[in-house]
Amino acid sequence: MRDEFTALLLGQVGQHEGRDPDGSWNNHQRYSTETPGLEWSDGQPWCATFESWGAHQVGMDGLWPITASCLYAVNWWKQQGRWTEYPVLGGPFYLGPDGGTHTGVVVAYDADTITTVEGNTNTGGSPQGDGVYRRTRNRRGPGSPYGYGVPAYPEGTVSADPGLGGVPSARTSGQATAPAAQAPRWPGRYLQLQTPMLHGDDVLMWQSRMAARGWAITADGWYGPASAQICRAFQQRHGLGVDGIVGPITWNATWS
């Protein structure tokens, strides 16, 4: 579940909020409207909402505070007795006084840094940004995390906390990428949503390669809405035309 969750969030890297007519960012994004109970938060700071969206998408509503508030989330973790001063793989970190300024999810850590995926930030790591970014932050010193939540993942906890195993460094498989390889010849048909649903070995081959690269996709040979969503996220991340269709360019990029 942890790897599915982090891969889902990492697949959103490159997504941005909307803009007002004057060109300024306006905090309007999909994550509020797609999370039951948080529809009201569209247009508000959305770092915690982004995590709530991901938790809801993978069925972790009971394992994660579904909220738009960092302060509420911090209190929730503490009340559950699931709070630590050490990074937790797949767990949230919180910044600022009492952890109420900003949050993101840890996808890797070592002795000195955490690698994260965060909503409502930017390339400088601002707590009020414009999109979803992957960031590296210092574990200690100015601007370091106030603390971390400890999700009750069914596969167990991986943390630097000595009381939780004391693993000195770790990374999720969602962070991993398969090495570059020569792309098989494009099958000659576009993989896309259609009725009846597209099915075949070429779909299975593309899905399997995406799974090997760390994307949370089911390799079943059927090109349905979930495959199209992953395709669009992949295209967005790699600067391709975003249409959810695996044509020759997207096919070759999948192996590059």
Side-chain angles (χ1 to χ4, degrees):
M1 182 172 285
R2 174 178 53 240
D3 290 341
E4 180 184 0
F5 175 59
T6 54
L8 173 66
L9 298 187
L10 285 164
Q12 298 299 302
V13 170
Q15 296 294 318
H16 290 278
E17 62 189 45
R19 292 182 184 268
D20 286 331
D22 64 2
S24 60
W25 300 105
N26 61 15
N27 280 328
H28 288 290
Q29 29 65 41
R30 57 180 285 200
Y31 308 109
S32 292
T33 56
E34 294 181 9
T35 307
L38 296 185
E39 297 87 351
W40 62 269
S41 66
D42 191 24
Q44 305 295 318
W46 50 279
C47 55
T49 299
F50 174 60
E51 298 173 11
S52 296
W53 169 84
H56 175 70
Q57 291 292 314
V58 300
M60 295 200 309
D61 300 67
L63 304 182
W64 202 278
I66 305 301
T67 180
S69 167
C70 292
L71 283 175
Y72 177 92
V74 168
N75 289 331
W76 188 91
W77 292 112
K78 289 182 175 181
Q79 289 169 5
Q80 299 292 317
R82 308 197 67 84
W83 182 256
T84 179
E85 296 179 355
Y86 296 84
V88 177
L89 200 63
F93 73 92
Y94 296 90
L95 297 180
D98 298 322
T101 301
H102 183 63
T103 183
V105 172
V106 177
V107 296
Y109 67 84
D110 57 27
D112 300 310
T113 65
I114 55 173
T115 302
T116 64
V117 57
E118 307 170 24
N120 198 26
T121 190
N122 57 24
T123 54
S126 169
Q128 180 56 268
D130 56 67
V132 182
Y133 291 80
R134 184 161 46 188
R135 300 283 308 149
T136 299
R137 296 181 179 272
N138 292 326
R139 282 179 54 179
R140 305 171 188 84
S144 60
Y146 168 75
Y148 304 82
V150 186
Y153 287 117
E155 60 268 43
T157 299
V158 177
S159 174
D161 188 334
L164 296 172
V167 180
S169 64
R171 62 195 292 116
T172 67
S173 67
Q175 270 287 96
T177 56
Q182 183 175 359
R185 182 185 298 274
W186 180 56
R189 66 169 179 169
Y190 290 86
L191 309 186
Q192 58 188 316
L193 288 177
Q194 64 181 47
T195 303
M197 192 183 301
L198 196 66
H199 180 262
D201 291 340
D202 49 354
V203 178
L204 180 62
M205 185 183 301
W206 178 79
Q207 292 171 329
S208 297
R209 176 60 184 177
M210 290 294 286
R213 295 190 64 163
W215 294 84
I217 188 170
T218 300
D220 58 5
W222 292 94
Y223 198 86
S227 291
Q229 181 180 0
I230 292 292
C231 178
R232 286 191 292 270
F234 175 82
Q235 291 168 330
Q236 175 75 37
R237 180 183 295 184
H238 292 279
L240 307 176
V242 181
D243 56 11
I245 299 173
V246 184
I249 294 176
T250 298
W251 178 273
N252 289 329
T254 304
W255 273 267
S256 68

